[in-house]
Amino acid sequence: MTVIWNPTLDDNAARWQALAHKLGSERFAPLAPELDREQRYPWETISALVEHKFTGLFLPTQWGGQGANLVATVAVVEALGTHCASTAAIMCAYQLGAFPLLLAGTDEQKSFYLREMAEGRATSFALSERIAGSDAAAIEATAVREGGGWRLRGEKYWIGNGGASRYYVVFAKTDPTAGGRGISAFMVDKEQPGAVIDELSDKMGIRGTQTSNLKLDLVVPDSAQVGELNRALRLALQTLNVGRIMVAAQSLGVALAGYREAAVRAVSRRTFGQPIGDNQAIGFRLADMATEISAARMMLYQAAQAYDRQEDVSNLGAMAKLFASEVSHRVVDNTVQIWGGLGYCKPTVAERLYRDQRILEIYEGSSEIQRLVLSRAVRKEAEELAI
């Protein structure tokens, strides 16, 4: 797609991206309609991701990973998303579970859990609850001292890869009186007694992924604690800063897939003796799609590069996630419109993309939360300028 702006990737990132496209076109895209229809978790896809080292792509080599930077990782997620949005979402869930350990785990925790992840036994990020999504400080799960460890009680919800993952980074209140300053994180193995997954979400889109709850009434040892006591909300937000860039990459994959479907339809479908793309009403839609995708892509790769330079990406990541997810919304909406009645019906790719896209404006922080983050940053900057 030469009309769409393409990032300049180094050899390593380009190699990973090319492999993702090859696997996507040969193995993941043909499976996508079945996964959507049956809402089935694709263990055969996981086997392929493990075989080709994608599950350890972003993990340091010393912990069994491939040591790829964030630019290479988002290039892979974006590429996978052009073929199967569910596969891209699974890759995002792997990353989200790994980053608390990468940021704050002990060497022993990294050595065990990250190696497990590289071999396909994933860790999931368990922060949200039924009443606490955007307001993470309002979680009600608790961790209370018991014997030589911590008794965790509560229920987590909206867990990406939930039920399919073996391990969970669970956030719980260790000081219920301190609000967001009283939250800690702990590693939980779903196989241990007292960990129960008994609900899988019946989702509109990305139906090849698995989203679950996790009920907890169990004791974990002190060695299960991740990071500082009572400081895990900050760890969660640092993780989400990276997660938002990953969702921006997923959004670009969906948008590129929608653009491809719309552009091909516009030249192959004829009405009144000419391709529908020759009508300005359609041609101008495609021009806007190409422009917005290019702009979102530039923002995505700038955010990934900034992270790789160890810069603060809290604002740029929020912008990338906000803009890319909303661009993907507009693109797939136009894709359905260009496909017309067929685009509204199963089993067209346009119809599936329309459903797959919608979650991108909700998870890892809704569009409203991104705007809240950015509006606070604008206010802080303006106050400093006014002094």
Side-chain angles (χ1 to χ4, degrees):
M1 295 182 184
T2 56
V3 175
I4 302 289
W5 176 85
N6 283 301
T8 300
L9 302 176
D10 62 29
D11 290 344
N12 187 56
R15 177 175 63 84
W16 283 111
Q17 184 188 55
L19 179 58
H21 274 303
K22 184 175 187 296
L23 283 175
S25 62
E26 294 177 358
R27 302 180 67 169
F28 304 150
L31 190 61
E34 176 188 325
L35 299 180
D36 178 70
R37 184 173 60 253
E38 299 179 0
Q39 191 165 215
R40 176 176 67 80
Y41 191 76
W43 288 107
E44 61 269 56
T45 294
I46 303 303
S47 296
L49 293 174
V50 172
E51 176 188 353
H52 294 279
K53 312 297 185 184
F54 282 111
T55 55
L57 175 64
F58 49 88
L59 304 178
T61 55
Q62 70 190 100
W63 311 122
Q66 302 305 305
N69 61 15
L70 193 60
V71 168
T73 305
V74 299
V76 164
V77 169
E78 180 194 83
L80 293 174
T82 66
H83 302 286
C84 176
S86 291
T87 302
I90 289 169
M91 275 290 293
C92 287
Y94 264 77
Q95 165 272 320
L96 196 65
F99 263 83
L101 291 161
L102 288 170
L103 292 169
T106 64
D107 284 350
E108 291 77 11
Q109 288 171 337
K110 292 175 182 176
S111 180
F112 179 77
Y113 293 109
L114 299 185
R115 290 181 190 279
E116 287 279 284
M117 181 174 293
E119 295 175 5
R121 291 176 290 276
T123 292
S124 279
F125 184 79
L127 174 64
S128 294
E129 298 178 5
R130 291 177 188 267
I131 62 156
S134 297
D135 184 6
I139 63 172
E140 294 183 343
T142 60
V144 178
R145 269 294 186 189
E146 183 172 313
W150 297 87
R151 178 165 290 278
L152 300 179
R153 286 193 178 96
E155 182 181 14
K156 293 298 174 177
Y157 215 66
W158 311 119
I159 302 174
N161 242 21
S165 291
R166 173 67 184 269
Y167 307 105
Y168 297 79
V169 185
V170 173
F171 293 81
K173 286 193 171 177
T174 40
D175 184 353
T177 66
R181 296 180 180 274
I183 295 173
S184 303
F186 303 89
M187 296 303 303
V188 171
D189 183 339
K190 76 170 183 181
E191 299 299 321
Q192 66 190 100
V196 177
I197 290 169
D198 61 7
E199 185 176 340
L200 300 178
S201 300
D202 186 1
K203 302 191 297 293
M204 176 194 297
I206 57 168
R207 289 167 59 84
T209 65
Q210 195 161 285
T211 307
S212 80
N213 68 335
L214 174 62
K215 293 178 179 177
L216 300 160
D217 188 354
L218 51 83
V219 176
V220 296
D222 280 345
S223 60
Q225 183 182 319
V226 181
E228 293 182 63
L229 185 67
N230 295 329
R231 294 292 180 267
L233 182 58
R234 183 172 181 271
L235 175 61
L237 296 178
Q238 288 175 321
T239 298
L240 289 171
N241 282 341
V242 187
R244 288 163 180 167
I245 296 173
M246 298 288 283
V247 174
Q250 188 185 348
S251 300
L252 262 295
V254 170
L256 287 164
Y259 172 80
R260 177 183 62 208
E261 291 292 313
V264 170
R265 180 69 171 172
V267 297
S268 60
R269 170 67 170 158
R270 299 179 67 87
T271 59
F272 306 107
Q274 64 181 5
I276 61 173
D278 287 352
N279 297 305
Q280 286 187 350
I282 303 299
F284 284 9
R285 284 179 187 259
L286 291 167
D288 288 343
M289 291 159 72
T291 301
E292 287 202 306
I293 290 172
S294 294
R297 216 177 189 191
M298 291 174 188
M299 189 175 291
L300 165 66
Y301 282 92
Q302 281 293 318
Q305 289 168 7
Y307 183 86
D308 287 336
R309 293 192 299 265
Q310 299 184 328
E311 296 175 9
D312 179 6
V313 294
S314 54
N315 293 333
L316 187 54
M319 289 179 181
K321 198 271 186 184
L322 172 65
F323 188 62
S325 65
E326 294 193 350
V327 163
S328 70
H329 183 135
R330 291 190 287 273
V331 168
V332 298
D333 186 71
N334 277 318
T335 301
V336 170
Q337 194 70 19
I338 289 169
W339 269 80
L342 282 176
Y344 189 70
C345 298
K346 301 176 188 293
T348 58
V349 174
E351 186 273 341
R352 188 176 76 242
L353 289 172
Y354 192 82
R355 290 182 289 104
D356 285 341
Q357 183 281 328
R358 194 60 186 86
I359 190 61
L360 300 171
E361 297 168 81
I362 298 173
Y363 63 15
E364 259 80 305
S366 66
S367 291
E368 290 77 12
I369 289 297
Q370 308 312 318
R371 288 186 167 92
L372 180 62
V373 168
L374 293 168
S375 66
R376 286 173 175 171
V378 169
R379 177 179 177 178
K380 180 180 178 181
E381 182 179 68
E383 287 174 343
E384 291 171 351
L385 290 172
I387 294 175

